[in-house]
Amino acid sequence: MTKPPKSAPSSLPARLAMPVLVAGMVFLTAFVITVPLDVTQQLLFSAAVFAIALCLRNRPGRLIPLILMGLSLVMSTRYMYWRLTETLGFGNILDLVLGSGLVMAEIYAYVVLVLGYFQVAWPLNRDPVPLPEDRSTWPTVDVFIPTYNEPLSVVRTTVLAATVLDWPADKLRVHLLDDGRREEFRQFCEQVGVNYVTRTNNSHAKAGNINAALKKTDGEFVAVFDCDHVPTRSFLQMSMGGFLRDAKLAVVQTPHYFFSADPFERNLDTFGRVPNEGELFYGLLQDGNDQWNATFFCGSCTVIRRAPLEAIGGVAVETVTEDAHTAIRLHKAGWRSAYIPIPQAAGLATESLSAHVGQRIRWARGMAQILRVDNPMLAKGLSLAQRLCYTNAMLHFFYGLPRIIFLTAPLAYLFFGAHVIHASALMILAYALPHILQANLTNIRVQGKHRHLLWNEVYETCLAWYILRPTMVAVINPKLGKFNVTAKGGLVEQSYFDAQIARPYLLLLLLNLAGVITGIVRLVMADTSGETNTIWLNLGWTLYNMIMLGAVIATSSEQRQIRRSHRVPLSMPAHLHLPDGRALACRTVNFSTGGMAVQLEQAEPLQPGTEVQIELRNRGRSERLPAVIRHDRDGQGISLQFQKLDLEQERWLVTSTFARADIWVQLWGRHDRDTLLRSFADVSRASARGFARLGHFIITGGRRSAPATPRSGDSA
């Protein structure tokens, strides 16, 4: 028998090839980052890299974003290396203090950029796992709907939708967890056939409410919905299959989709055109987290396996972001999580900017608390990738101070002549501009359908002042602060300017305006071209800040929102039954809990006030709902207001509208890809509106109308 040949000596070089290649790439990258260049050479090098990125940005393929990230990191790291080695020669104590603050803010932004690229480097895009055909093998599920002070008009749609989930009736139990202990809620639960669960105290808010319910139930899995998040019928069938395939899977999270405009979208008139603040997280970041087994539990639209949840002591109660904290503990215990990037529920966004800010303050405080009490970089049991994903999520909420520093940094030179960057204006542009442009170009490719760059600047600028103190305090003492419930279901009966929310930004605007005036004066008095260039650089930065602040002021101008039931677009065949017995074929245009708009196939004038029935058909069944004609818009559509519906009619309305997953799938992530010029033009227009609204507020002497009030019922 011939003996197998011994390994050839050439196998050693083969084994060394990859380490040598990696080492060579690291050395080459380090050389590119650190090699000194003069202004002309730096501009030529930056232009060449940017040209390569421009050629690649629209090419298909999953490798292209990675290449763009690599080019961006080279330019950003080169900028940071230059900043830290060439620009810190501060001449006096004022330069030192102000310059150190700016460089720390830039280091923060750089770290978040690097971690963000890692987080979304290769989104998983997980598909749902099919369930077994034998329904007897499907597990039991408890559906928890926590509530505290929300009106029944908000909660009842969610409860009714939960009762029609496509799941075996003997394996599904719906529980309304009422921390408000309200008799009308108990009676409603009796009528609709769900369990009413309460407790004698409100300890630990939502987390305590869920933990108390865990002790009173025994389903193998728990699905959690905020009381304004209406689940679709397919929710459990889309989310449960993975649990049966993977015994170590503890959490399956789905997106939070909102069918009403949040205050930014309403006040800036961007609803449906520009991705909202949360779409980046649910449209991209959670998908990126999923690749690293770091999907967060987000408190709603979620299924959790009961056994691991009970094993870690239930939902975490030590912080006010109990959901993310619970996810960390599950991951530390070795359990896995998953994200299904398909909306299977839809909810209400906050109605007023003040409520929206309050919600973000709670999120920021909670993530800072977790960083302090359960730091993911130090916690045992997490992988390196999980540590980085969680750390990035927490660091994100510390943008308050850096954002304010960026809004005021150019004023240091304009007011005091302080050199916060010890370099010429041309050299600053040669290094900083490529860093900024390359990062923006990369993020447009990576995030373009989920976040529009300059709108994100507006969001963060608006919230920066308000999250600054809570995050700093939470790091020092994580026990300070309390859980606040985000109000939903309110009205903005008349437009008004929220001067209280806008106050810090009005002050920043005045400072920047004074900076522009001072800069113009300095231009007139400048002696050298170098000084002139520095003034122009800081003036340009200040004018950009003023554009951002103008858009923030536009968000503070609350626009009227008087619709008690938010309309959702829906096109489906229907029939309108008239009192004379005729049935007119039509298609729905939109719907709400209080009414519906339809378009007749053959136009026919109908008298407002006429009592009719609208017949809806879904899944092979049809029902008629009583309604009255509110408006006939001369061939443009007929507006119907539902009359008093009995419980089964209301359940049918929910079944054939809100509980249809195809509605939310069609509306989810349908935004055009961002471009820098389009974003700048849109934000500039919003800024102009902000200045106009501020002028109106000043002219009218600050008079304002009544603020948002709770809604008491539904109407079309």
Side-chain angles (χ1 to χ4, degrees):
M1 179 182 294
T2 304
K3 292 183 179 180
K6 295 181 180 180
S7 299
S10 61
S11 62
L12 180 60
R15 288 197 303 270
L16 292 176
M18 183 57 70
V20 170
L21 179 62
V22 171
M25 291 179 63
V26 170
F27 176 80
L28 179 61
T29 303
F31 174 77
V32 170
I33 289 170
T34 60
V35 63
L37 299 175
D38 61 27
V39 171
T40 303
Q41 293 169 333
Q42 170 66 16
L43 286 173
L44 290 174
F45 170 70
S46 301
V49 174
F50 194 66
I52 293 171
L54 283 175
C55 293
L56 293 175
R57 60 176 176 155
N58 292 324
R59 291 181 177 271
R62 297 191 71 176
L63 286 177
I64 298 300
L66 295 180
I67 297 172
L68 292 175
M69 289 180 196
L71 295 175
S72 173
L73 287 175
V74 166
M75 300 310 295
S76 294
T77 306
R78 179 169 173 78
Y79 170 74
M80 290 307 304
Y81 179 82
W82 173 76
R83 280 285 282 126
L84 296 174
T85 60
E86 301 289 337
T87 69
L88 302 184
F90 303 121
N92 55 61
I93 189 65
L94 183 63
D95 289 0
L96 176 62
V97 172
L98 298 179
S100 297
L102 178 59
V103 79
M104 293 301 293
E106 290 181 280
I107 290 172
Y108 165 85
Y110 173 75
V111 171
V112 170
L113 178 72
V114 174
L115 291 178
Y117 283 165
F118 170 80
Q119 200 170 6
V120 300
W122 201 266
L124 187 57
N125 297 317
R126 183 189 298 265
D127 291 323
V129 177
L131 286 160
E133 292 187 9
D134 184 1
R135 294 167 69 94
S136 66
T137 64
W138 295 8
T140 55
V141 181
D142 287 311
V143 177
F144 288 174
I145 304 173
T147 180
Y148 171 56
N149 62 355
E150 299 84 358
L152 183 58
S153 59
V154 169
V155 178
R156 63 188 299 128
T157 306
T158 301
V159 173
L160 289 171
T163 65
V164 298
L165 286 166
D166 285 331
W167 202 254
D170 61 331
K171 296 176 179 289
L172 179 69
R173 289 160 294 195
V174 180
H175 313 273
L176 182 65
L177 317 182
D178 181 22
D179 257 6
R181 294 177 286 281
R182 292 159 289 184
E183 177 61 21
E184 63 172 332
F185 279 64
R186 187 193 64 77
Q187 293 177 2
F188 169 69
C189 289
E190 279 189 7
Q191 295 169 359
V192 79
V194 305
N195 296 324
Y196 178 75
V197 181
T198 189
R199 54 182 178 149
T200 58
N201 59 71
N202 298 108
S203 298
H204 305 301
K206 178 181 175 181
N209 197 3
I210 293 174
N211 287 339
L214 284 172
K215 298 175 181 178
K216 301 177 182 179
T217 56
D218 60 3
E220 299 166 76
F221 293 86
V222 173
V224 182
F225 297 98
D226 283 347
C227 65
D228 65 296
H229 276 150
V230 184
T232 66
R233 296 186 66 163
S234 59
F235 176 85
L236 289 176
Q237 293 201 17
M238 293 288 283
S239 58
M240 289 296 298
F243 288 111
L244 303 186
R245 176 179 293 183
D246 183 357
K248 293 295 290 182
L249 183 62
V251 175
V252 170
Q253 179 67 52
T254 65
H256 290 191
Y257 176 79
F258 299 100
F259 59 84
S260 64
D262 69 26
F264 287 106
E265 294 173 305
R266 188 180 66 252
N267 297 343
L268 295 172
D269 191 27
T270 61
F271 185 55
R273 297 188 297 107
V274 176
N276 64 31
E277 188 188 3
E279 191 164 321
L280 175 67
F281 181 73
Y282 290 107
L284 181 62
L285 293 182
Q286 279 282 57
D287 233 353
N289 289 337
D290 202 16
Q291 179 64 248
W292 310 114
N293 186 30
T295 294
F296 302 171
F297 164 42
C298 298
S300 181
C301 312
T302 309
V303 183
I304 307 178
R305 194 187 296 267
R306 177 184 291 268
L309 182 59
E310 291 182 339
I312 64 168
V315 178
V317 298
E318 293 81 3
T319 63
V320 296
T321 46
E322 72 289 334
D323 41 17
H325 200 177
T326 301
I328 287 179
R329 291 186 171 176
L330 288 168
H331 283 133
K332 284 168 58 179
W335 294 90
R336 286 191 282 271
S337 62
Y339 181 64
I340 306 294
I342 304 171
Q344 289 294 298
L348 290 171
T350 50
E351 269 79 16
S352 69
L353 183 61
S354 58
H356 194 85
V357 168
Q359 183 188 64
R360 268 41 179 189
I361 288 174
R362 174 166 61 84
W363 292 0
R365 177 189 293 124
M367 296 303 265
Q369 287 174 324
I370 298 174
L371 190 66
R372 178 72 164 77
V373 304
D374 215 350
N375 191 313
M377 292 306 293
L378 304 176
K380 294 181 179 180
L382 298 178
S383 68
L384 176 60
Q386 289 172 329
R387 296 177 194 276
L388 295 176
C389 289
Y390 276 117
T391 299
N392 189 44
M394 293 166 195
L395 285 180
H396 165 76
F397 286 98
F398 287 86
Y399 63 74
L401 182 57
R403 182 66 61 185
I404 291 172
I405 288 174
F406 291 140
L407 287 170
T408 56
L411 303 179
Y413 180 81
L414 295 175
F415 285 153
F416 310 114
H419 292 274
V420 293
I421 303 178
H422 194 73
S424 69
L426 289 178
M427 189 64 85
I428 293 172
L429 282 176
Y431 276 87
L433 201 58
H435 151 60
I436 294 170
L437 291 178
Q438 202 76 42
N440 284 341
L441 185 69
T442 301
N443 281 323
I444 285 174
R445 171 60 191 265
V446 176
Q447 306 173 355
K449 293 186 68 175
H450 306 289
R451 182 179 77 169
H452 289 182
L453 291 172
L454 295 186
W455 287 115
N456 185 68
E457 298 275 323
V458 175
Y459 298 150
E460 291 192 357
T461 300
C462 183
L463 296 168
W465 178 264
Y466 294 100
I467 69 170
L468 171 59
R469 181 176 176 273
T471 51
M472 296 298 113
V473 170
V475 169
I476 298 169
N477 187 346
K479 294 183 179 180
L480 292 179
K482 63 180 182 178
F483 188 97
N484 61 291
V485 178
T486 305
K488 300 288 183 70
L491 300 177
V492 181
E493 294 183 344
Q494 291 187 343
S495 299
Y496 68 95
F497 184 77
D498 194 336
Q500 184 173 353
I501 285 288
R503 186 176 301 163
Y505 303 108
L506 292 174
L507 175 60
L508 286 170
L509 180 63
L510 286 174
L511 287 174
N512 277 270
L513 180 60
V516 170
I517 295 172
T518 304
I520 293 173
V521 173
R522 291 178 69 101
L523 272 178
V524 174
M525 301 174 62
D527 295 329
T528 65
S529 61
E531 183 181 2
T532 300
N533 291 338
T534 303
I535 294 171
W536 275 117
L537 173 65
N538 285 282
L539 273 176
W541 189 349
T542 303
L543 289 171
Y544 174 82
N545 287 340
M546 290 184 67
I547 292 173
M548 293 297 111
L549 289 167
V552 169
I553 289 168
T555 70
S556 303
S557 184
E558 294 281 15
Q559 298 303 292
R560 199 165 174 240
Q561 197 284 103
I562 59 172
R563 190 176 287 282
R564 297 182 183 274
S565 305
H566 296 275
R567 291 294 179 102
V568 179
L570 171 65
S571 177
M572 62 181 292
H575 283 86
L576 193 64
H577 294 268
L578 304 182
D580 60 10
R582 289 184 298 155
L584 305 181
C586 60
R587 292 195 71 86
T588 62
V589 177
N590 57 49
F591 71 90
S592 72
T593 56
M596 181 172 282
V598 299
Q599 181 74 52
L600 296 178
E601 290 188 2
Q602 293 185 346
E604 180 171 335
L606 296 175
Q607 187 67 31
T610 304
E611 294 185 355
V612 296
Q613 291 181 321
I614 181 70
E615 181 181 357
L616 303 177
R617 186 173 184 83
N618 185 39
R619 298 167 66 107
R621 175 186 160 202
S622 63
E623 292 285 343
R624 298 184 185 184
L625 304 177
V628 60
I629 295 176
R630 289 286 303 276
H631 306 288
D632 184 352
R633 304 184 189 279
D634 297 327
Q636 300 301 312
I638 296 172
S639 178
L640 306 175
Q641 180 179 349
F642 294 126
Q643 295 185 303
K644 179 67 175 178
L645 304 179
D646 63 36
L647 195 58
E648 290 310 309
Q649 288 174 327
E650 192 175 356
R651 198 194 309 261
W652 170 248
L653 174 63
V654 171
T655 301
S656 54
T657 53
F658 285 101
R660 291 179 47 164
D662 59 319
I663 299 175
W664 316 123
V665 171
Q666 291 170 8
L667 296 174
W668 169 255
R670 300 304 182 189
H671 306 290
D672 293 333
R673 187 170 292 277
D674 187 27
T675 68
L676 190 58
L677 290 178
R678 181 192 301 158
S679 276
F680 186 77
D682 288 346
V683 170
S684 297
R685 283 192 290 268
S687 182
R689 289 200 302 271
F691 288 126
R693 292 169 183 174
L694 176 60
H696 180 265
F697 173 75
I698 294 172
I699 291 171
T700 58
R703 292 190 301 273
R704 55 166 284 173
S705 304
T709 56
R711 66 178 176 184
S712 57
D714 285 335
S715 74

